[in-house]
Amino acid sequence: MVTLSDTTPRSVRTPREVLADYHQAMRDKSPDDLAGLYAVDAVHEFPFTSPGFPPRLEGREAVREGYRAAWGASPVRVQEITDVTVHETVTPGVIVAEHVVVVSPPSGGAAFTVPGLLVLRVKDGLLTHVRDYMDGLGVVQLRGQTPA
């Protein structure tokens, strides 16, 4: 028996909706929610490498494991994501998003800010390619390391 829900097309998330879900996964420190936004064969690149981060994650499961390791090793929590500016591009499914991530250290000290820029390519509601430009020095400070 076919029901209406079996024949009704499912809505596909827009790039802006994917970005909102991406930010929520960051706030929740949920590698599973983040990985759920990616296509099976997606690529996530970090053009500005930071200590402890690989330059590239290939595939949904690599994204899940990479963020599980990174977020699991970091005691900081994302308080909020501010100054979000989304730039539309002429390429369908591609947006550029600027943001500032405000994080709190576990010691209760002063919050840190880490500015970043994401280039997101979304197809059929899933991320297929991400370029993640984040402040490497800010990440080093968050992890309690001193820059070389």
Side-chain angles (χ1 to χ4, degrees):
M1 176 176 172
V2 176
T3 65
L4 179 60
S5 62
D6 293 334
T7 60
T8 305
R10 296 172 63 179
S11 65
V12 175
R13 287 183 301 228
T14 68
R16 285 177 181 261
E17 291 169 331
V18 171
L19 175 64
D21 291 344
Y22 186 103
H23 283 157
Q24 188 60 51
M26 289 174 63
R27 284 190 289 274
D28 295 341
K29 283 180 84 170
S30 175
D32 293 327
D33 289 349
L34 186 68
L37 300 173
Y38 285 77
V40 172
D41 58 350
V43 173
H44 188 120
E45 296 178 309
F46 300 96
F48 299 152
T49 59
S50 298
F53 280 82
R56 182 180 176 101
L57 299 169
E58 295 188 30
R60 178 187 296 152
E61 293 312 311
V63 169
R64 183 187 323 275
E65 293 311 312
Y67 275 91
R68 179 169 285 134
W71 288 341
S74 175
V76 301
R77 299 286 308 171
V78 174
Q79 285 181 341
E80 62 182 323
I81 299 168
T82 65
D83 303 324
V84 177
T85 303
V86 178
H87 304 276
E88 300 290 336
T89 71
V90 296
T91 305
V94 176
I95 60 171
V96 177
E98 301 174 70
H99 61 233
V100 175
V101 180
V102 180
V103 296
S104 58
S107 63
F112 288 91
T113 59
V114 180
L117 183 134
L118 296 168
V119 179
L120 304 176
R121 182 177 299 275
V122 176
K123 184 177 180 191
D124 298 328
L126 294 172
L127 291 164
T128 60
H129 191 250
V130 174
R131 284 199 185 100
D132 190 343
Y133 298 88
M134 63 181 148
D135 174 14
L137 182 56
V139 171
V140 169
Q141 289 174 331
L142 286 174
R143 300 179 90 197
Q145 301 167 332
T146 47

PDB file of all heavy atoms in Angstrom, residues 18-53:
ATOM      1  N   VAL A  18      21.613  24.235   5.716  1.00  0.00           N
ATOM      2  CA  VAL A  18      22.732  23.354   6.055  1.00  0.00           C
ATOM      3  C   VAL A  18      23.718  24.105   6.945  1.00  0.00           C
ATOM      4  O   VAL A  18      24.212  23.560   7.942  1.00  0.00           O
ATOM      5  CB  VAL A  18      23.419  22.809   4.782  1.00  0.00           C
ATOM      6  CG1 VAL A  18      24.708  22.074   5.132  1.00  0.00           C
ATOM      7  CG2 VAL A  18      22.474  21.885   4.029  1.00  0.00           C
ATOM      8  N   LEU A  19      23.997  25.367   6.628  1.00  0.00           N
ATOM      9  CA  LEU A  19      24.885  26.170   7.463  1.00  0.00           C
ATOM     10  C   LEU A  19      24.333  26.304   8.881  1.00  0.00           C
ATOM     11  O   LEU A  19      25.078  26.161   9.860  1.00  0.00           O
ATOM     12  CB  LEU A  19      25.093  27.553   6.846  1.00  0.00           C
ATOM     13  CG  LEU A  19      25.913  28.535   7.691  1.00  0.00           C
ATOM     14  CD1 LEU A  19      27.340  28.039   7.880  1.00  0.00           C
ATOM     15  CD2 LEU A  19      25.881  29.926   7.065  1.00  0.00           C
ATOM     16  N   ALA A  20      23.042  26.565   9.020  1.00  0.00           N
ATOM     17  CA  ALA A  20      22.432  26.677  10.356  1.00  0.00           C
ATOM     18  C   ALA A  20      22.588  25.370  11.125  1.00  0.00           C
ATOM     19  O   ALA A  20      22.921  25.371  12.322  1.00  0.00           O
ATOM     20  CB  ALA A  20      20.960  27.069  10.233  1.00  0.00           C
ATOM     21  N   ASP A  21      22.382  24.236  10.452  1.00  0.00           N
ATOM     22  CA  ASP A  21      22.551  22.933  11.102  1.00  0.00           C
ATOM     23  C   ASP A  21      24.021  22.674  11.444  1.00  0.00           C
ATOM     24  O   ASP A  21      24.341  22.076  12.472  1.00  0.00           O
ATOM     25  CB  ASP A  21      22.012  21.815  10.214  1.00  0.00           C
ATOM     26  CG  ASP A  21      20.494  21.860  10.086  1.00  0.00           C
ATOM     27  OD1 ASP A  21      19.823  22.536  10.902  1.00  0.00           O
ATOM     28  OD2 ASP A  21      19.967  21.216   9.151  1.00  0.00           O
ATOM     29  N   TYR A  22      24.923  23.116  10.595  1.00  0.00           N
ATOM     30  CA  TYR A  22      26.365  23.003  10.827  1.00  0.00           C
ATOM     31  C   TYR A  22      26.736  23.760  12.102  1.00  0.00           C
ATOM     32  O   TYR A  22      27.430  23.239  12.979  1.00  0.00           O
ATOM     33  CB  TYR A  22      27.091  23.577   9.610  1.00  0.00           C
ATOM     34  CG  TYR A  22      28.583  23.426   9.582  1.00  0.00           C
ATOM     35  CD1 TYR A  22      29.179  22.467   8.789  1.00  0.00           C
ATOM     36  CD2 TYR A  22      29.414  24.269  10.312  1.00  0.00           C
ATOM     37  CE1 TYR A  22      30.560  22.343   8.723  1.00  0.00           C
ATOM     38  CE2 TYR A  22      30.785  24.153  10.265  1.00  0.00           C
ATOM     39  CZ  TYR A  22      31.356  23.190   9.461  1.00  0.00           C
ATOM     40  OH  TYR A  22      32.716  23.061   9.410  1.00  0.00           O
ATOM     41  N   HIS A  23      26.258  25.000  12.204  1.00  0.00           N
ATOM     42  CA  HIS A  23      26.527  25.794  13.394  1.00  0.00           C
ATOM     43  C   HIS A  23      25.934  25.144  14.647  1.00  0.00           C
ATOM     44  O   HIS A  23      26.562  25.154  15.713  1.00  0.00           O
ATOM     45  CB  HIS A  23      26.001  27.215  13.226  1.00  0.00           C
ATOM     46  CG  HIS A  23      26.879  28.071  12.365  1.00  0.00           C
ATOM     47  ND1 HIS A  23      26.394  29.188  11.710  1.00  0.00           N
ATOM     48  CD2 HIS A  23      28.191  27.999  12.045  1.00  0.00           C
ATOM     49  CE1 HIS A  23      27.379  29.762  11.038  1.00  0.00           C
ATOM     50  NE2 HIS A  23      28.477  29.056  11.222  1.00  0.00           N
ATOM     51  N   GLN A  24      24.751  24.567  14.527  1.00  0.00           N
ATOM     52  CA  GLN A  24      24.152  23.896  15.688  1.00  0.00           C
ATOM     53  C   GLN A  24      24.990  22.691  16.117  1.00  0.00           C
ATOM     54  O   GLN A  24      25.190  22.462  17.309  1.00  0.00           O
ATOM     55  CB  GLN A  24      22.712  23.466  15.394  1.00  0.00           C
ATOM     56  CG  GLN A  24      21.983  22.934  16.614  1.00  0.00           C
ATOM     57  CD  GLN A  24      21.884  23.971  17.724  1.00  0.00           C
ATOM     58  OE1 GLN A  24      21.449  25.099  17.481  1.00  0.00           O
ATOM     59  NE2 GLN A  24      22.287  23.613  18.929  1.00  0.00           N
ATOM     60  N   ALA A  25      25.491  21.931  15.175  1.00  0.00           N
ATOM     61  CA  ALA A  25      26.358  20.794  15.503  1.00  0.00           C
ATOM     62  C   ALA A  25      27.614  21.264  16.219  1.00  0.00           C
ATOM     63  O   ALA A  25      28.103  20.603  17.144  1.00  0.00           O
ATOM     64  CB  ALA A  25      26.708  20.008  14.240  1.00  0.00           C
ATOM     65  N   MET A  26      28.146  22.430  15.819  1.00  0.00           N
ATOM     66  CA  MET A  26      29.311  23.002  16.507  1.00  0.00           C
ATOM     67  C   MET A  26      28.952  23.356  17.944  1.00  0.00           C
ATOM     68  O   MET A  26      29.707  23.045  18.871  1.00  0.00           O
ATOM     69  CB  MET A  26      29.801  24.259  15.783  1.00  0.00           C
ATOM     70  CG  MET A  26      30.475  23.996  14.458  1.00  0.00           C
ATOM     71  SD  MET A  26      30.879  25.536  13.579  1.00  0.00           S
ATOM     72  CE  MET A  26      32.038  26.306  14.720  1.00  0.00           C
ATOM     73  N   ARG A  27      27.818  24.016  18.130  1.00  0.00           N
ATOM     74  CA  ARG A  27      27.408  24.397  19.490  1.00  0.00           C
ATOM     75  C   ARG A  27      27.197  23.161  20.357  1.00  0.00           C
ATOM     76  O   ARG A  27      27.526  23.164  21.545  1.00  0.00           O
ATOM     77  CB  ARG A  27      26.132  25.245  19.440  1.00  0.00           C
ATOM     78  CG  ARG A  27      26.369  26.675  18.985  1.00  0.00           C
ATOM     79  CD  ARG A  27      25.123  27.551  19.173  1.00  0.00           C
ATOM     80  NE  ARG A  27      24.067  27.222  18.242  1.00  0.00           N
ATOM     81  CZ  ARG A  27      23.964  27.715  17.008  1.00  0.00           C
ATOM     82  NH1 ARG A  27      24.852  28.560  16.551  1.00  0.00           N
ATOM     83  NH2 ARG A  27      22.965  27.360  16.233  1.00  0.00           N
ATOM     84  N   ASP A  28      26.666  22.106  19.768  1.00  0.00           N
ATOM     85  CA  ASP A  28      26.397  20.874  20.516  1.00  0.00           C
ATOM     86  C   ASP A  28      27.621  19.964  20.625  1.00  0.00           C
ATOM     87  O   ASP A  28      27.565  18.958  21.336  1.00  0.00           O
ATOM     88  CB  ASP A  28      25.270  20.086  19.841  1.00  0.00           C
ATOM     89  CG  ASP A  28      23.940  20.816  19.883  1.00  0.00           C
ATOM     90  OD1 ASP A  28      23.763  21.732  20.714  1.00  0.00           O
ATOM     91  OD2 ASP A  28      23.068  20.466  19.059  1.00  0.00           O
ATOM     92  N   LYS A  29      28.699  20.299  19.908  1.00  0.00           N
ATOM     93  CA  LYS A  29      29.881  19.440  19.814  1.00  0.00           C
ATOM     94  C   LYS A  29      29.464  18.017  19.446  1.00  0.00           C
ATOM     95  O   LYS A  29      29.858  17.048  20.058  1.00  0.00           O
ATOM     96  CB  LYS A  29      30.686  19.443  21.118  1.00  0.00           C
ATOM     97  CG  LYS A  29      31.528  20.685  21.313  1.00  0.00           C
ATOM     98  CD  LYS A  29      32.316  20.663  22.600  1.00  0.00           C
ATOM     99  CE  LYS A  29      33.610  19.897  22.442  1.00  0.00           C
ATOM    100  NZ  LYS A  29      34.482  20.076  23.624  1.00  0.00           N
ATOM    101  N   SER A  30      28.640  17.916  18.407  1.00  0.00           N
ATOM    102  CA  SER A  30      28.099  16.624  17.991  1.00  0.00           C
ATOM    103  C   SER A  30      28.701  16.199  16.652  1.00  0.00           C
ATOM    104  O   SER A  30      28.231  16.638  15.587  1.00  0.00           O
ATOM    105  CB  SER A  30      26.580  16.688  17.869  1.00  0.00           C
ATOM    106  OG  SER A  30      26.095  15.461  17.349  1.00  0.00           O
ATOM    107  N   PRO A  31      29.709  15.337  16.681  1.00  0.00           N
ATOM    108  CA  PRO A  31      30.274  14.859  15.417  1.00  0.00           C
ATOM    109  C   PRO A  31      29.269  14.057  14.597  1.00  0.00           C
ATOM    110  O   PRO A  31      29.331  14.062  13.365  1.00  0.00           O
ATOM    111  CB  PRO A  31      31.464  14.008  15.844  1.00  0.00           C
ATOM    112  CG  PRO A  31      31.233  13.675  17.269  1.00  0.00           C
ATOM    113  CD  PRO A  31      30.376  14.764  17.836  1.00  0.00           C
ATOM    114  N   ASP A  32      28.330  13.401  15.249  1.00  0.00           N
ATOM    115  CA  ASP A  32      27.321  12.634  14.514  1.00  0.00           C
ATOM    116  C   ASP A  32      26.367  13.559  13.760  1.00  0.00           C
ATOM    117  O   ASP A  32      26.046  13.307  12.596  1.00  0.00           O
ATOM    118  CB  ASP A  32      26.547  11.712  15.456  1.00  0.00           C
ATOM    119  CG  ASP A  32      27.410  10.603  16.018  1.00  0.00           C
ATOM    120  OD1 ASP A  32      28.327  10.135  15.304  1.00  0.00           O
ATOM    121  OD2 ASP A  32      27.197  10.218  17.179  1.00  0.00           O
ATOM    122  N   ASP A  33      25.916  14.641  14.422  1.00  0.00           N
ATOM    123  CA  ASP A  33      25.038  15.591  13.742  1.00  0.00           C
ATOM    124  C   ASP A  33      25.782  16.280  12.599  1.00  0.00           C
ATOM    125  O   ASP A  33      25.210  16.481  11.533  1.00  0.00           O
ATOM    126  CB  ASP A  33      24.502  16.632  14.718  1.00  0.00           C
ATOM    127  CG  ASP A  33      23.491  16.063  15.701  1.00  0.00           C
ATOM    128  OD1 ASP A  33      23.041  14.906  15.513  1.00  0.00           O
ATOM    129  OD2 ASP A  33      23.145  16.771  16.669  1.00  0.00           O
ATOM    130  N   LEU A  34      27.046  16.610  12.829  1.00  0.00           N
ATOM    131  CA  LEU A  34      27.827  17.244  11.768  1.00  0.00           C
ATOM    132  C   LEU A  34      27.989  16.292  10.588  1.00  0.00           C
ATOM    133  O   LEU A  34      27.730  16.664   9.446  1.00  0.00           O
ATOM    134  CB  LEU A  34      29.195  17.681  12.291  1.00  0.00           C
ATOM    135  CG  LEU A  34      30.032  18.478  11.297  1.00  0.00           C
ATOM    136  CD1 LEU A  34      29.411  19.845  11.033  1.00  0.00           C
ATOM    137  CD2 LEU A  34      31.452  18.618  11.788  1.00  0.00           C
ATOM    138  N   ALA A  35      28.395  15.070  10.854  1.00  0.00           N
ATOM    139  CA  ALA A  35      28.605  14.095   9.781  1.00  0.00           C
ATOM    140  C   ALA A  35      27.321  13.849   8.999  1.00  0.00           C
ATOM    141  O   ALA A  35      27.363  13.619   7.788  1.00  0.00           O
ATOM    142  CB  ALA A  35      29.143  12.787  10.342  1.00  0.00           C
ATOM    143  N   GLY A  36      26.184  13.927   9.658  1.00  0.00           N
ATOM    144  CA  GLY A  36      24.904  13.731   8.984  1.00  0.00           C
ATOM    145  C   GLY A  36      24.593  14.783   7.932  1.00  0.00           C
ATOM    146  O   GLY A  36      23.702  14.592   7.113  1.00  0.00           O
ATOM    147  N   LEU A  37      25.340  15.873   7.929  1.00  0.00           N
ATOM    148  CA  LEU A  37      25.144  16.929   6.941  1.00  0.00           C
ATOM    149  C   LEU A  37      25.922  16.678   5.660  1.00  0.00           C
ATOM    150  O   LEU A  37      25.744  17.384   4.677  1.00  0.00           O
ATOM    151  CB  LEU A  37      25.575  18.282   7.524  1.00  0.00           C
ATOM    152  CG  LEU A  37      24.834  18.745   8.773  1.00  0.00           C
ATOM    153  CD1 LEU A  37      25.489  20.004   9.325  1.00  0.00           C
ATOM    154  CD2 LEU A  37      23.365  18.968   8.473  1.00  0.00           C
ATOM    155  N   TYR A  38      26.816  15.673   5.676  1.00  0.00           N
ATOM    156  CA  TYR A  38      27.735  15.427   4.572  1.00  0.00           C
ATOM    157  C   TYR A  38      27.270  14.278   3.684  1.00  0.00           C
ATOM    158  O   TYR A  38      26.745  13.281   4.174  1.00  0.00           O
ATOM    159  CB  TYR A  38      29.121  15.067   5.122  1.00  0.00           C
ATOM    160  CG  TYR A  38      29.882  16.252   5.670  1.00  0.00           C
ATOM    161  CD1 TYR A  38      29.569  16.786   6.907  1.00  0.00           C
ATOM    162  CD2 TYR A  38      30.913  16.825   4.952  1.00  0.00           C
ATOM    163  CE1 TYR A  38      30.262  17.873   7.415  1.00  0.00           C
ATOM    164  CE2 TYR A  38      31.616  17.907   5.446  1.00  0.00           C
ATOM    165  CZ  TYR A  38      31.280  18.428   6.679  1.00  0.00           C
ATOM    166  OH  TYR A  38      31.967  19.501   7.169  1.00  0.00           O
ATOM    167  N   ALA A  39      27.554  14.415   2.400  1.00  0.00           N
ATOM    168  CA  ALA A  39      27.389  13.295   1.478  1.00  0.00           C
ATOM    169  C   ALA A  39      28.437  12.240   1.834  1.00  0.00           C
ATOM    170  O   ALA A  39      29.471  12.551   2.437  1.00  0.00           O
ATOM    171  CB  ALA A  39      27.581  13.761   0.039  1.00  0.00           C
ATOM    172  N   VAL A  40      28.171  11.001   1.470  1.00  0.00           N
ATOM    173  CA  VAL A  40      29.067   9.893   1.800  1.00  0.00           C
ATOM    174  C   VAL A  40      30.492  10.156   1.318  1.00  0.00           C
ATOM    175  O   VAL A  40      31.460   9.868   2.021  1.00  0.00           O
ATOM    176  CB  VAL A  40      28.527   8.568   1.214  1.00  0.00           C
ATOM    177  CG1 VAL A  40      29.526   7.447   1.373  1.00  0.00           C
ATOM    178  CG2 VAL A  40      27.206   8.207   1.865  1.00  0.00           C
ATOM    179  N   ASP A  41      30.636  10.753   0.149  1.00  0.00           N
ATOM    180  CA  ASP A  41      31.965  10.963  -0.441  1.00  0.00           C
ATOM    181  C   ASP A  41      32.427  12.423  -0.371  1.00  0.00           C
ATOM    182  O   ASP A  41      33.294  12.853  -1.131  1.00  0.00           O
ATOM    183  CB  ASP A  41      31.986  10.489  -1.890  1.00  0.00           C
ATOM    184  CG  ASP A  41      30.952  11.200  -2.752  1.00  0.00           C
ATOM    185  OD1 ASP A  41      30.079  11.921  -2.201  1.00  0.00           O
ATOM    186  OD2 ASP A  41      31.004  11.045  -3.982  1.00  0.00           O
ATOM    187  N   ALA A  42      31.900  13.179   0.567  1.00  0.00           N
ATOM    188  CA  ALA A  42      32.244  14.595   0.701  1.00  0.00           C
ATOM    189  C   ALA A  42      33.710  14.786   1.087  1.00  0.00           C
ATOM    190  O   ALA A  42      34.361  13.871   1.609  1.00  0.00           O
ATOM    191  CB  ALA A  42      31.349  15.242   1.757  1.00  0.00           C
ATOM    192  N   VAL A  43      34.193  15.984   0.842  1.00  0.00           N
ATOM    193  CA  VAL A  43      35.550  16.369   1.214  1.00  0.00           C
ATOM    194  C   VAL A  43      35.471  17.627   2.071  1.00  0.00           C
ATOM    195  O   VAL A  43      34.737  18.559   1.750  1.00  0.00           O
ATOM    196  CB  VAL A  43      36.417  16.644  -0.036  1.00  0.00           C
ATOM    197  CG1 VAL A  43      37.775  17.211   0.338  1.00  0.00           C
ATOM    198  CG2 VAL A  43      36.572  15.373  -0.863  1.00  0.00           C
ATOM    199  N   HIS A  44      36.223  17.623   3.172  1.00  0.00           N
ATOM    200  CA  HIS A  44      36.323  18.791   4.056  1.00  0.00           C
ATOM    201  C   HIS A  44      37.792  19.166   4.130  1.00  0.00           C
ATOM    202  O   HIS A  44      38.617  18.370   4.578  1.00  0.00           O
ATOM    203  CB  HIS A  44      35.790  18.443   5.450  1.00  0.00           C
ATOM    204  CG  HIS A  44      35.682  19.633   6.353  1.00  0.00           C
ATOM    205  ND1 HIS A  44      34.493  20.028   6.895  1.00  0.00           N
ATOM    206  CD2 HIS A  44      36.603  20.505   6.815  1.00  0.00           C
ATOM    207  CE1 HIS A  44      34.689  21.093   7.654  1.00  0.00           C
ATOM    208  NE2 HIS A  44      35.971  21.403   7.613  1.00  0.00           N
ATOM    209  N   GLU A  45      38.123  20.371   3.667  1.00  0.00           N
ATOM    210  CA  GLU A  45      39.511  20.821   3.627  1.00  0.00           C
ATOM    211  C   GLU A  45      39.754  21.949   4.628  1.00  0.00           C
ATOM    212  O   GLU A  45      38.865  22.763   4.885  1.00  0.00           O
ATOM    213  CB  GLU A  45      39.865  21.350   2.236  1.00  0.00           C
ATOM    214  CG  GLU A  45      39.814  20.313   1.154  1.00  0.00           C
ATOM    215  CD  GLU A  45      40.132  20.893  -0.204  1.00  0.00           C
ATOM    216  OE1 GLU A  45      39.519  21.920  -0.588  1.00  0.00           O
ATOM    217  OE2 GLU A  45      41.002  20.321  -0.874  1.00  0.00           O
ATOM    218  N   PHE A  46      40.970  21.973   5.180  1.00  0.00           N
ATOM    219  CA  PHE A  46      41.441  23.041   6.054  1.00  0.00           C
ATOM    220  C   PHE A  46      42.646  23.692   5.372  1.00  0.00           C
ATOM    221  O   PHE A  46      43.787  23.304   5.636  1.00  0.00           O
ATOM    222  CB  PHE A  46      41.844  22.487   7.424  1.00  0.00           C
ATOM    223  CG  PHE A  46      40.738  21.798   8.154  1.00  0.00           C
ATOM    224  CD1 PHE A  46      40.604  20.419   8.078  1.00  0.00           C
ATOM    225  CD2 PHE A  46      39.832  22.513   8.919  1.00  0.00           C
ATOM    226  CE1 PHE A  46      39.586  19.762   8.757  1.00  0.00           C
ATOM    227  CE2 PHE A  46      38.806  21.859   9.602  1.00  0.00           C
ATOM    228  CZ  PHE A  46      38.681  20.481   9.518  1.00  0.00           C
ATOM    229  N   PRO A  47      42.426  24.667   4.465  1.00  0.00           N
ATOM    230  CA  PRO A  47      43.557  25.256   3.741  1.00  0.00           C
ATOM    231  C   PRO A  47      44.592  25.914   4.646  1.00  0.00           C
ATOM    232  O   PRO A  47      45.767  25.918   4.313  1.00  0.00           O
ATOM    233  CB  PRO A  47      42.894  26.290   2.831  1.00  0.00           C
ATOM    234  CG  PRO A  47      41.506  25.759   2.642  1.00  0.00           C
ATOM    235  CD  PRO A  47      41.151  25.153   3.972  1.00  0.00           C
ATOM    236  N   PHE A  48      44.163  26.488   5.778  1.00  0.00           N
ATOM    237  CA  PHE A  48      45.100  27.052   6.745  1.00  0.00           C
ATOM    238  C   PHE A  48      45.230  26.031   7.865  1.00  0.00           C
ATOM    239  O   PHE A  48      44.420  25.993   8.783  1.00  0.00           O
ATOM    240  CB  PHE A  48      44.596  28.374   7.313  1.00  0.00           C
ATOM    241  CG  PHE A  48      44.409  29.456   6.288  1.00  0.00           C
ATOM    242  CD1 PHE A  48      43.470  30.443   6.479  1.00  0.00           C
ATOM    243  CD2 PHE A  48      45.174  29.514   5.133  1.00  0.00           C
ATOM    244  CE1 PHE A  48      43.290  31.463   5.551  1.00  0.00           C
ATOM    245  CE2 PHE A  48      45.009  30.520   4.195  1.00  0.00           C
ATOM    246  CZ  PHE A  48      44.070  31.503   4.409  1.00  0.00           C
ATOM    247  N   THR A  49      46.231  25.193   7.783  1.00  0.00           N
ATOM    248  CA  THR A  49      46.352  24.110   8.741  1.00  0.00           C
ATOM    249  C   THR A  49      46.671  24.637  10.141  1.00  0.00           C
ATOM    250  O   THR A  49      47.281  25.686  10.300  1.00  0.00           O
ATOM    251  CB  THR A  49      47.434  23.103   8.314  1.00  0.00           C
ATOM    252  OG1 THR A  49      48.678  23.798   8.197  1.00  0.00           O
ATOM    253  CG2 THR A  49      47.078  22.435   7.006  1.00  0.00           C
ATOM    254  N   SER A  50      46.225  23.883  11.117  1.00  0.00           N
ATOM    255  CA  SER A  50      46.468  24.164  12.528  1.00  0.00           C
ATOM    256  C   SER A  50      47.045  22.914  13.162  1.00  0.00           C
ATOM    257  O   SER A  50      46.712  21.798  12.735  1.00  0.00           O
ATOM    258  CB  SER A  50      45.155  24.523  13.237  1.00  0.00           C
ATOM    259  OG  SER A  50      44.594  25.682  12.695  1.00  0.00           O
ATOM    260  N   PRO A  51      47.873  23.079  14.180  1.00  0.00           N
ATOM    261  CA  PRO A  51      48.412  21.893  14.855  1.00  0.00           C
ATOM    262  C   PRO A  51      47.292  20.969  15.326  1.00  0.00           C
ATOM    263  O   PRO A  51      46.306  21.423  15.894  1.00  0.00           O
ATOM    264  CB  PRO A  51      49.176  22.482  16.045  1.00  0.00           C
ATOM    265  CG  PRO A  51      49.500  23.885  15.643  1.00  0.00           C
ATOM    266  CD  PRO A  51      48.350  24.324  14.772  1.00  0.00           C
ATOM    267  N   GLY A  52      47.434  19.704  15.031  1.00  0.00           N
ATOM    268  CA  GLY A  52      46.458  18.722  15.467  1.00  0.00           C
ATOM    269  C   GLY A  52      45.291  18.529  14.517  1.00  0.00           C
ATOM    270  O   GLY A  52      44.429  17.695  14.768  1.00  0.00           O
ATOM    271  N   PHE A  53      45.221  19.304  13.444  1.00  0.00           N
ATOM    272  CA  PHE A  53      44.155  19.156  12.465  1.00  0.00           C
ATOM    273  C   PHE A  53      44.756  18.655  11.164  1.00  0.00           C
ATOM    274  O   PHE A  53      45.746  19.201  10.687  1.00  0.00           O
ATOM    275  CB  PHE A  53      43.453  20.498  12.194  1.00  0.00           C
ATOM    276  CG  PHE A  53      42.456  20.889  13.224  1.00  0.00           C
ATOM    277  CD1 PHE A  53      42.853  21.497  14.395  1.00  0.00           C
ATOM    278  CD2 PHE A  53      41.108  20.652  13.032  1.00  0.00           C
ATOM    279  CE1 PHE A  53      41.933  21.876  15.355  1.00  0.00           C
ATOM    280  CE2 PHE A  53      40.179  21.014  13.978  1.00  0.00           C
ATOM    281  CZ  PHE A  53      40.600  21.626  15.149  1.00  0.00           C
TER     282      PHE A  53
END
